[in-house]
Amino acid sequence: MKPVDKPDTESETTGLPWPHSWRGVYLFVTGVFVLWVGLLTLFMKLFA
Amino acid sequence: MTPLDYVVLFGTILGIAAYGTWRTRDRRDLHAHLKGAGSTRWFTIGLSVMATQASAITFLSTPGQGFESGIGFVQNYFGAPFALMLICIFFLPIFRRLNVYTAYEYLGRRFDAKTRLLGAALFLFQRGIGAGITIYAPAIVLSTVMGWPLDLTIICSGLVVIVYTVVGGSDAVSLTQRYQIGVIFAGMLAAFFVMLARLPAGLTLTDALTVAGGFHKLEAVDFSLDFSKRYTFWSGMFGGMFLALSYFGTDQTQVQRYLHGSSLRESRLGLMFNAVFKIPMQFFILVLGALIFVFYQFQPQPVFFNQTVWNREVQAAGGPGLRGLEQEFNAVHAEKQQAIGHWLAARHGGDATAEAAAKAEARAAYDRSEAVRARTKAALTAANPAVATKDSDYVFITFILNYLPHGVIGLLVAVFFAATMSSKAGELNALSSTTLVDVYRHVVRRDETDHHYVVASRWFTVMWGVIAIAFALLVKMSENLIEFGNIVGSIFYGVPLGLFLIAFFLKRIGGTAAFWAAVLTQVLVIAAYFGDIGVSYLWLNPLGCAACVVLALVLQAVLRDDTRPAPAAEA
């Protein structure tokens, strides 16, 4: 579903050295989340 | 607390408030008062969003939760990064392009005036109660432990917030939150390192974490599909995302913080900052609690952490029985300490068999000590039914007062006040803005000057501040109040989220269908709660949202509502 009045802002640049696109930022945040969950799982296994 | 602690406490708290008031004293036009001077960068927004969400009870209770139940609570925040990304993609561009002051202003543009007022009214009601709880919950813990008068604690912390929020508006809130969260991080790190330094000689951080893990305090992630468990990866992902979407997307306390950014980019990066750092921040606070658990395995531990209540009750008629339980607990605690000593000695010596045996012995002693604690709490209730027996909120403050050096104690108490003031300021600012923009300027006085609205906004801030203080002074519900706040949130969060989801994604639904769907759903949710339909209050939130969307679709089909979005909102 497309939102009623969502402007197209995803194509704008982030102004960061990296990532340049917002899609890249969201992928980075998702990657960091996976990293946190992985580290938490490892932490738990290490000290079980 | 010594004079040094009081100097650190008052110097920090009043210094930040005075600086915020002075720096933002010239915010005289309405836009600057509600949205700031338009120069706020992403880092300040990120810290402001974080500071608004993290109240004092977060920093008082969360280490206690790590102490008692371990760090599994961190999973509750797993859905937050995804909710924040959805807000960046769908909510934020629309709010910014329409240049709204409040989230409910958007409802007015997409639907109609009555739906806007309904959204604003639901927010004002539930957040008005929430503002009272924000100030009351830490005040009761701090006043109990410190011996300060409860009413004076509430009034003093409330008045300071009112002053700088009235003078500087939204900019003062963001600016002070930046320094308040700095004090919070500094205080929590100081507590962490002082605690590590006070662990017994020869006990490394790895040893401490091994002990915490041995008592199941480090079980961070649970991938099981057991719905009877409160915190799992899945409940955190789905339930947590739903809750975060409601809170960050539709609650003006948060919307106002990120709309404050100087551009869409700054607002987005501020939210992404939270998406990245929310989980590690909560993890750190919970691990601090788990390590305080380890710390107490090598020190005398109170059988009941609310020592003020304990000392009062042992002086009363049930005293001898309570003293007996305390002695029993101390004996079991000593056995446990001995078993942990053998466990670590075997571990260092590389004797796996002896290590396993000692670990099992320590765990058995721990189970016995917890059984004594449970009997102690039952005895306290029998002696005085009015006593609140949940003592985990008192674990961290008891540790601070008994083991941290003077000066650091003042800093940590400043942490709790900074957290109270930062979330309270965000709430007051949002309550005042919504009252002004969605009610006063929209319904009561439409065409007044900027100066008139700025003055009105200041009076609304005072009004909500006084209401919050009065609520905190009048209610006497102890920790049940925190649960009461969660219940109110669950009852009143689902419908606004349903309204916003309809507004964003269901183009054919008009204002009348959306409004009546929201009203009917809210009545049904309230009836479901008071009718006790056998569903936990935590489910009222998603049920309310789903029911609102479904009812709107049905009503749209029946009413053939032709109320269409305003051209500005559709363009």
Side-chain angles (χ1 to χ4, degrees):
Chain A
M1 277 185 292
K2 190 174 185 297
V4 171
D5 50 3
K6 182 184 166 295
D8 180 24
T9 53
E10 297 307 306
S11 56
E12 289 175 9
T13 176
T14 60
L16 298 170
W18 181 87
H20 298 295
S21 70
W22 288 106
R23 184 171 295 199
V25 171
Y26 304 141
L27 276 173
F28 172 75
V29 170
T30 307
V32 169
F33 170 76
V34 172
L35 180 71
W36 289 138
V37 173
L39 287 174
L40 283 171
T41 309
L42 186 68
F43 180 75
M44 181 174 74
K45 301 276 183 210
L46 271 176
F47 297 106
Chain B
M1 296 240 301
T2 62
L4 174 65
D5 294 314
Y6 281 106
V7 167
V8 173
L9 169 63
F10 290 116
T12 309
I13 294 305
L14 296 179
I16 291 173
Y19 178 69
T21 309
W22 178 74
R23 274 285 305 271
T24 56
R25 65 196 182 283
D26 57 348
R27 305 292 189 267
R28 301 202 191 283
D29 69 280
L30 184 66
H31 187 85
H33 194 75
L34 298 184
K35 277 192 174 178
S39 57
T40 312
R41 304 297 302 272
W42 65 268
F43 188 63
T44 303
I45 295 168
L47 293 180
S48 182
V49 165
M50 196 174 262
T52 301
Q53 190 191 16
S55 69
I57 209 69
T58 308
F59 297 99
L60 275 168
S61 288
T62 311
Q65 188 143 18
F67 177 98
E68 198 167 77
S69 315
I71 66 171
F73 183 64
V74 74
Q75 295 168 106
N76 211 32
Y77 298 92
F78 280 3
F82 300 96
L84 289 166
M85 282 191 273
L86 288 174
I87 290 164
C88 278
I89 296 167
F90 296 114
F91 289 52
L92 190 48
I94 298 173
F95 288 159
R96 285 205 67 104
R97 188 175 57 79
L98 296 178
N99 199 25
V100 292
Y101 287 112
T102 72
Y104 319 108
E105 213 180 335
Y106 166 70
L107 291 180
R109 299 214 198 172
R110 166 62 179 87
F111 295 121
D112 49 30
K114 62 180 181 295
T115 314
R116 172 184 181 176
L117 277 174
L118 178 67
L122 291 174
F123 165 73
L124 290 173
F125 181 74
Q126 69 108 349
R127 188 50 66 183
I129 292 174
I133 296 168
T134 300
I135 205 165
Y136 178 79
I140 191 165
V141 176
L142 290 170
S143 63
T144 303
V145 174
M146 304 288 196
W148 297 342
L150 175 62
D151 292 352
L152 193 66
T153 310
I154 289 169
I155 291 168
C156 287
S157 56
L159 283 181
V160 174
V161 180
I162 290 173
V163 168
Y164 70 76
T165 312
V166 163
V167 173
S170 196
D171 254 354
V173 175
S174 294
L175 185 70
T176 49
Q177 281 177 331
R178 191 167 134 185
Y179 294 101
Q180 283 159 343
I181 201 90
V183 169
I184 289 167
F185 287 153
M188 297 304 276
L189 282 171
F192 183 79
F193 287 113
V194 171
M195 186 202 57
L196 287 185
R198 298 205 60 162
L199 285 172
L203 190 82
T204 63
L205 178 61
T206 309
D207 288 335
L209 291 171
T210 302
V211 172
F215 288 106
H216 306 292
K217 302 295 179 187
L218 300 182
E219 293 180 353
V221 191
D222 182 351
F223 288 103
S224 69
L225 284 166
D226 184 350
F227 292 104
S228 65
K229 288 183 179 174
R230 184 174 281 185
Y231 306 118
T232 66
F233 176 83
W234 306 109
S235 72
M237 281 295 288
F238 294 105
M241 186 173 82
F242 196 94
L243 197 65
L245 201 57
S246 305
Y247 178 60
F248 289 105
T250 75
D251 190 312
Q252 180 63 17
T253 51
Q254 283 297 348
V255 174
Q256 186 147 2
R257 303 304 358 123
Y258 57 76
L259 285 184
H260 201 257
S262 59
S263 67
L264 175 63
R265 172 187 181 271
E266 304 299 327
S267 299
R268 270 182 167 160
L269 289 177
L271 287 180
M272 290 301 92
F273 172 84
N274 278 270
V276 169
F277 289 107
K278 185 70 191 164
I279 292 172
M281 186 187 102
Q282 293 295 335
F283 168 74
F284 170 73
I285 301 170
L286 285 161
V287 164
L288 178 63
L291 289 175
I292 290 173
F293 169 84
V294 176
F295 178 85
Y296 271 115
Q297 303 317 304
F298 299 95
Q299 300 286 343
Q301 180 188 321
V303 64
F304 187 68
F305 274 95
N306 186 343
Q307 286 286 285
T308 308
V309 166
W310 174 259
N311 291 333
R312 189 184 68 212
E313 293 303 320
V314 293
Q315 302 298 326
L322 292 173
R323 284 283 184 213
L325 284 163
E326 187 179 39
Q327 283 166 6
E328 191 181 342
F329 177 80
N330 290 341
V332 179
H333 190 64
E335 286 173 33
K336 187 173 49 170
Q337 283 178 330
Q338 199 172 26
I340 293 170
H342 292 154
W343 169 12
L344 290 174
R347 184 171 178 273
H348 291 155
D351 186 345
T353 314
E355 184 185 348
K359 187 175 172 181
E361 196 185 326
R363 277 182 177 174
Y366 172 67
D367 290 342
R368 290 200 300 279
S369 70
E370 284 302 290
V372 179
R373 260 169 59 80
R375 279 195 283 131
T376 305
K377 289 178 180 181
L380 277 168
T381 307
N384 181 0
V387 165
T389 55
K390 182 175 174 290
D391 65 341
S392 59
D393 289 349
Y394 294 85
V395 168
F396 191 37
I397 189 77
T398 304
F399 165 77
I400 289 167
L401 292 175
N402 290 336
Y403 294 103
L404 295 193
H406 289 294
V408 180
I409 293 176
L411 180 65
L412 263 296
V413 177
V415 164
F416 302 131
F417 274 97
T420 302
M421 290 162 70
S422 62
S423 31
K424 174 104 182 97
E427 286 170 340
L428 286 189
N429 197 218
L431 285 164
S432 154
S433 302
T434 306
T435 311
L436 178 83
V437 174
D438 295 301
V439 182
Y440 186 74
R441 196 176 71 163
H442 180 55
V443 179
V444 184
R445 302 282 284 270
R446 277 178 176 272
D447 299 308
E448 293 291 345
T449 60
D450 254 21
H451 175 71
H452 175 90
Y453 289 128
V454 170
V455 172
S457 171
R458 287 178 168 151
W459 279 111
F460 288 135
T461 306
V462 173
M463 179 188 86
W464 282 111
V466 171
I467 288 173
I469 291 173
F471 180 85
L473 289 175
L474 292 173
V475 290
K476 301 288 178 198
M477 294 171 71
S478 190
E479 65 254 73
N480 290 333
L481 195 64
I482 299 159
E483 189 178 44
F484 175 65
N486 290 336
I487 291 169
V488 172
S490 292
I491 292 173
F492 291 100
Y493 257 159
V495 170
L497 182 60
L499 274 177
F500 277 92
L501 293 182
I502 295 166
F504 289 135
F505 297 110
L506 298 172
K507 188 176 181 178
R508 63 198 174 91
I509 292 182
T512 303
F515 175 80
W516 287 111
V519 170
L520 281 171
T521 306
Q522 195 58 70
V523 171
L524 284 173
V525 170
I526 293 168
Y529 175 71
F530 286 105
D532 196 11
I533 58 169
V535 173
S536 163
Y537 71 84
L538 292 169
W539 285 102
L540 295 175
N541 208 341
L543 286 175
C545 176
C548 183
V549 174
V550 171
L551 260 176
L553 285 167
V554 172
L555 284 174
Q556 179 65 32
V558 173
L559 298 173
R560 299 192 181 283
D561 179 11
D562 60 356
T563 315
R564 280 287 169 263
E570 274 223 283

